Amino acid sequence: AYCDYARATVRRYKDHIKHWEIYNEPNIFFWEGPKKLYPVLLERAHGVIKEEDPDAEVLGISTAGIDRGFIRMVLRAEAPFDALTIHPYRSQFIERNFIRELDHAAVLVRNRPVWITEMGWSTQVGTGGKTEREQAQLLGRAYLSAVGAGVRNMGWYNFRNDGDDPFYNEVNFGVLRSDLTPKAAYRALAVVCRSLPVAGDTPVGWREGGDGAQGLYALGVGQNTAFWAPRQETTVVVESTADQTLTWLNLMGEPIEVEPVPVSAVMHRPPRGCRSSADMSQTEVLWVRHALQLQPGNPVFVPVSYTHLRAHET
């Protein structure tokens, strides 16, 4: 019955939809039968989907968390799938741990693509809830970390609040409230997507500091770079050409004023044709340094290619 449904759905939408996820979190209570039957379903659904649309991609396993035991069980059964999907919810977000888990998941499935098809934090009032500002910060850090780890797609749970009860966890995960007014996370998501267009570009992740949870992170994609310090105030120094105007943006897309470091920190070279030491005073400024103090958990964006700048923790 499930495969008949999958076949009919793919046949109807194959000109518009090319990715199909088989079931939701079968490693927990959503799957009521024997777990060993999930690989059977995955294999059969994969077959009918490919018959209807050979270009479609089948997303499989779809675990709550990153359930390595369940993933290994499906791999041992040799059920076919094109990409692994996971739902790595967590109460505390630590970049180093998150990136390491994503790397391990990719290796486990023999470096097939990894998709995050659910992840989020609720803004309910009370124990376990995040403020709307905290939700926005976590969204930015999670998306940036996932891109840096090579995750191909990330789906936030969820788009719109499912209800109006401010004290109920499940209905407050949206980036929009139930009346469609935006939370801060909606703006943060827009800024991340606009600032780091990934199509055709290979992301470059970078980190300094002895403890990843306390250090400085940077992510470069194309002609933009994001910086953030997860848990402590940190200063980032960026060098750019003297004629380049850097417009820094915060997570809400608002410009940040960043003054160049004093002249003593500026690099010089003699102008062309300079011969005497007296001429050395007529120097041409090639590089300037901009220092920005990062507040904990607040990513910032600057339109400079990662490969054309140097940054370090001070």
Side-chain angles (χ1 to χ4, degrees):
Y2 186 97
C3 291
D4 289 344
Y5 169 75
R7 184 186 296 278
T9 306
V10 175
R11 181 177 296 171
R12 172 67 178 83
Y13 292 105
K14 64 184 179 182
D15 291 336
H16 306 283
I17 298 173
K18 293 296 182 180
H19 302 88
W20 304 93
E21 185 173 28
I22 305 304
Y23 220 79
N24 174 64
E25 300 182 355
N27 61 318
I28 60 172
F29 58 85
F30 291 109
W31 183 271
E32 297 183 352
K35 303 299 183 187
K36 65 182 180 181
L37 288 183
Y38 174 74
V40 178
L41 177 71
L42 178 58
E43 180 176 9
R44 293 182 183 178
H46 179 277
V48 300
I49 290 171
K50 294 292 187 176
E51 287 173 8
E52 290 296 326
D53 183 5
D55 296 327
E57 292 191 28
V58 177
L59 314 180
I61 306 184
S62 189
T63 59
I66 305 178
D67 188 337
R68 296 186 189 178
F70 190 85
I71 295 170
R72 289 191 183 98
M73 183 270 291
V74 177
L75 292 173
R76 285 194 299 269
E78 299 183 345
F81 61 96
D82 298 308
L84 169 70
T85 59
I86 53 176
H87 302 166
Y89 291 98
R90 57 204 57 219
S91 57
Q92 299 297 320
F93 186 75
I94 299 175
E95 277 81 351
R96 171 175 286 183
N97 296 348
F98 183 59
I99 293 169
R100 183 188 298 118
E101 291 174 31
L102 295 177
D103 289 341
H104 288 172
V107 171
L108 187 60
V109 294
R110 305 179 185 98
N111 292 313
R112 275 177 274 199
V114 175
W115 287 37
I116 296 173
T117 48
E118 276 189 43
M119 187 174 184
W121 282 268
S122 175
T123 57
Q124 96 264 12
V125 177
T127 304
K130 304 297 183 182
T131 66
E132 292 190 2
R133 177 176 179 175
E134 289 171 337
Q135 184 195 41
Q137 292 171 334
L138 287 164
L139 181 149
R141 291 166 57 193
Y143 266 84
L144 293 170
S145 299
V147 171
V151 169
R152 180 169 156 186
N153 182 289
M154 181 165 172
W156 189 258
Y157 185 85
N158 55 359
F159 183 61
R160 179 187 183 186
N161 278 3
D162 297 324
D164 298 317
D165 185 348
F167 302 100
Y168 183 29
N169 173 274
E170 182 60 31
V171 303
N172 287 285
F173 278 85
V175 295
L176 299 179
R177 303 179 188 92
S178 59
D179 63 0
L180 298 181
T181 56
K183 301 181 187 177
Y186 180 85
R187 177 74 66 87
L189 181 58
V191 172
V192 169
C193 292
R194 290 170 179 166
S195 300
L196 296 178
V198 298
D201 291 318
T202 301
V204 180
W206 174 84
R207 179 180 69 235
E208 276 198 3
D211 180 356
Q214 299 292 332
L216 171 67
Y217 287 79
L219 175 73
V221 180
Q223 297 300 310
N224 293 278
T225 299
F227 296 95
W228 72 103
R231 300 186 184 281
Q232 68 182 17
E233 195 172 85
T234 303
T235 299
V236 62
V237 178
V238 172
E239 295 178 352
S240 69
T241 57
D243 59 353
Q244 188 172 24
T245 301
L246 299 185
T247 303
W248 295 74
L249 300 177
N250 64 20
L251 191 55
M252 295 294 101
E254 300 164 332
I256 304 172
E257 292 293 331
V258 182
E259 295 295 329
V261 169
V263 174
S264 60
V266 175
M267 300 170 60
H268 302 272
R269 78 170 181 191
R272 183 176 299 175
C274 175
R275 291 289 183 268
S276 67
S277 59
D279 292 333
M280 293 294 288
S281 61
Q282 302 174 16
T283 54
E284 176 187 359
V285 177
L286 290 181
W287 298 87
V288 294
R289 291 182 176 179
H290 306 264
L292 177 66
Q293 195 170 60
L294 302 177
Q295 298 303 312
N298 288 286
V300 298
F301 304 84
V302 61
V304 174
S305 170
Y306 181 90
T307 58
H308 291 96
L309 61 81
R310 292 186 298 164
H312 58 86
E313 194 173 7
T314 58

